[in-house]
Amino acid sequence: MVYTIGQIASALGADALGDVDLKIDRLAEPSLAGPNDLALASNPKYAEKLREGAAQAALLWANADWEGMGLKAAIRVGRPRHAMAELTRLYDESWRSGSGVHDTAFVHPSADISDASVGPLSVIGEHVSIAPGGRIGAQVTIAAGTRIGPRAIIRDGARLAHNVTIGADFVAQIGALIGGDGFSFTTPEVSAAETVRETLGAEAGTAQTWSRIHSLGGVEIGDDVEVGAGSSIDRGTIRATKIGTGTKIDSLVQVGHNVEVGEHTLLCGHVGIGGSTTIGSHCILGGKTGVVDNVSVGDRVVTGAGTLIMANVPAGRVMLGYPATQMKASLDSYKALRRLPRDIAALKKAVSKLTGSD
């Protein structure tokens, strides 16, 4: 797509400066930008790279001296990173609406797909409902009874199991898996996991066999939710697994059965959430955060990368470490551990002087 500086500024709700009719073919980093590119120079550090490229226009921070940079045009915004959301959407060709059903796709006669597009080799099951504006990629499977709200984008290879309910503006990235059976098994006798939990490891379990607990619940997803590539959301056992409106799930995330995630929460890459756990709204779980089953994490909780939550976390806490503790305490412990060899050496030296020994 080609837009003028004026059109781009209008889409961003910003002021266009200089030659507002200058046409922009694409976005580029400052050092790589050509004469028909918009250089993304969001702060002075990036702006220094403009001289290495050939940009005539740039996206800049508020009050930036665009003329002093030798530019013909500029767009200045208060928060350049947030402007990137709309700016990248304008130039993302892969999100354009398609049309029609591909000849190799299968759509069950009872399915209602309105004016959604369906890509090659995709399968749309019995009584599936896809609201207007949906875009279904290639080799997607949507099983019986699943209902999807308006303007959904479901990319190639995604799999949606039966009886999944999804709101408007949903995005499933490549290979996302939604509504598979939960990892739920039981034993005739008390299991090793139950024994270890009860005794805190004082006793080990015995040899045992496992019986499946079938997953009869579904998955319910709110509006404006995104699920990353290769991520998996298990269906509930009896009640549904729930993902709240505005929540964003990164790639390779595992959400267990019966989990409830609140609104506008961020689950970063490799997060794993055990079954029947509740995660609040406006949380951020950093990469590789693990949350054990059957605990509650309050609203506005933030975790650092690699955190393991093993107990309930009150609202508003910032957590880090294994097991998770408040971030400041965790960092203090880490610093103390690093100082330990030096402190022990100093203590040994002091004792040696007192006792006269080497």
Side-chain angles (χ1 to χ4, degrees):
M1 298 295 293
V2 178
Y3 299 97
T4 67
I5 287 291
Q7 289 171 325
I8 295 170
S10 178
L12 298 179
D15 292 329
L17 304 168
D19 184 359
V20 298
D21 294 321
L22 184 67
K23 293 181 178 178
I24 299 298
D25 294 334
R26 69 187 188 109
L27 311 177
E29 294 183 4
S31 62
L32 303 175
N36 296 113
D37 298 338
L38 182 68
L40 304 177
S42 57
N43 60 46
K45 176 183 175 182
Y46 292 143
E48 291 175 2
K49 300 287 186 179
L50 283 169
R51 66 176 67 94
E52 299 176 20
Q56 299 184 89
L59 177 76
L60 301 170
W61 64 98
N63 302 318
D65 181 12
W66 64 279
E67 292 174 303
M69 298 174 192
L71 298 169
K72 290 185 177 181
I75 300 171
R76 293 191 302 201
V77 294
R79 182 163 161 74
R81 181 167 176 80
H82 190 259
M84 287 280 288
E86 178 62 20
L87 189 57
T88 53
R89 186 195 68 80
L90 287 175
Y91 282 91
D92 190 350
E93 295 282 353
S94 70
W95 286 51
R96 307 290 173 201
S97 296
S99 60
V101 177
H102 194 274
D103 291 343
T104 62
F106 171 78
V107 179
H108 194 278
S110 66
D112 177 9
I113 63 170
S114 300
D115 66 348
S117 65
V118 181
L121 301 176
S122 289
V123 177
I124 310 299
E126 188 175 7
H127 300 301
V128 166
S129 173
I130 304 174
R135 181 178 174 187
I136 312 303
Q139 296 185 326
V140 170
T141 300
I142 303 177
T146 285
R147 303 185 301 280
I148 302 171
R151 300 175 300 279
I153 297 175
I154 301 179
R155 292 190 178 268
D156 301 350
R159 301 286 185 264
L160 278 63
H162 60 288
N163 296 332
V164 171
T165 301
I166 296 172
D169 300 305
F170 173 70
V171 177
Q173 296 290 352
I174 293 170
L177 306 171
I178 299 172
D181 281 358
F183 189 70
S184 189
F185 296 86
T186 186
T187 55
E189 66 288 327
V190 175
S191 72
E194 292 170 292
T195 299
V196 168
R197 177 173 287 183
E198 181 67 27
T199 65
L200 298 181
E203 297 180 27
T206 58
Q208 51 205 199
T209 59
W210 298 95
S211 300
R212 167 181 290 279
I213 297 176
H214 289 256
S215 300
L216 305 181
V219 176
E220 297 176 4
I221 296 176
D223 297 337
D224 192 28
V225 170
E226 180 160 339
V227 179
S231 288
S232 176
I233 301 173
D234 291 347
R235 68 194 310 106
T237 305
I238 303 298
R239 59 180 170 84
T241 299
K242 296 182 179 181
I243 308 295
T245 289
T247 284
K248 313 299 183 187
I249 298 175
D250 197 0
S251 300
L252 301 176
V253 169
Q254 165 64 26
V255 178
H257 62 279
N258 296 350
V259 167
E260 295 189 11
V261 179
E263 298 184 349
H264 304 287
T265 281
L266 225 59
L267 305 181
C268 300
H270 286 210
V271 163
I273 302 175
S276 300
T277 281
T278 299
I279 308 293
S281 296
H282 304 282
C283 295
I284 302 173
L285 302 191
K288 290 187 179 295
T289 291
V291 188
V292 301
D293 61 292
N294 291 283
V295 299
S296 176
V297 176
D299 296 341
R300 306 182 314 284
V301 167
V302 177
T303 68
T307 297
L308 180 60
I309 293 176
M310 303 178 69
N312 295 340
V313 179
R317 288 282 176 87
V318 180
M319 308 295 287
L320 181 67
Y322 178 179
T325 55
Q326 292 192 63
M327 183 172 283
K328 185 180 185 306
S330 180
L331 292 173
D332 287 346
S333 296
Y334 175 68
K335 291 174 184 177
L337 187 62
R338 290 193 63 184
R339 290 194 302 265
L340 192 58
R342 183 186 64 193
D343 292 345
I344 290 175
L347 182 60
K348 289 171 69 176
K349 186 175 181 179
V351 171
S352 173
K353 288 181 179 179
L354 289 173
T355 61
S357 61
D358 294 331

